Amino acid sequence: MKFIIRLLLIAIFSYLLSLVMPWWILILVAGILSFILPGGNFNAILSGLLGGGLLWMVMAWKVDVETNSIMSTKIIQLFPIDDVNMIIIATGVLGGIAGALGAFTGNSFRQIFIKKKEKSFYS
């Protein structure tokens, strides 16, 4: 349940803040939310990956539809890619990597402050 909540909060806050802030706000949002909402490393990384990746993919698709693929066809001329959908997927992958790194950093920073239990000689 925390995974889904963290994923949705990363996507929602990143979208809202990206309207007035630069692209790297996704990294900060994923890091702060992973610091606030506890979870395992894999759980945090996956929520940041999916939250950021899906958000950026949807936003790239939205821009592509609104501009009738004008911007995408100009980007295709710069890179050796033949399909507009590959540009959208690549954008999602980059957003996912950014979100995953931010979430991992926030979760790791939280683990610095958690006191670990010492192992007993008898356990």
Side-chain angles (χ1 to χ4, degrees), residues 53-97:
L54 292 175
L55 173 69
W56 277 25
M57 194 177 299
V58 167
M59 289 176 73
W61 175 76
K62 181 182 166 197
V63 168
D64 187 55
V65 169
E66 288 175 353
T67 62
N68 294 325
S69 298
I70 293 171
M71 185 174 181
S72 301
T73 54
K74 290 184 180 186
I75 292 174
I76 284 177
Q77 293 172 357
L78 297 173
F79 296 107
I81 298 174
D82 297 331
D83 192 18
V84 173
N85 295 330
M86 291 303 291
I87 294 289
I88 295 171
I89 291 171
T91 304
V93 167
L94 289 174
I97 290 171

Side-chain angles (χ1 to χ4, degrees), residues 27-28 30-41 44 100-116:
I27 299 169
L28 291 177
I32 291 169
L33 287 173
S34 292
F35 181 80
I36 293 171
L37 299 173
N41 281 336
L101 289 175
F104 178 70
T105 303
N107 194 46
S108 297
F109 189 67
R110 176 186 175 77
Q111 290 177 354
I112 291 173
F113 300 109
I114 296 174
K115 188 173 184 178
K116 295 183 180 181

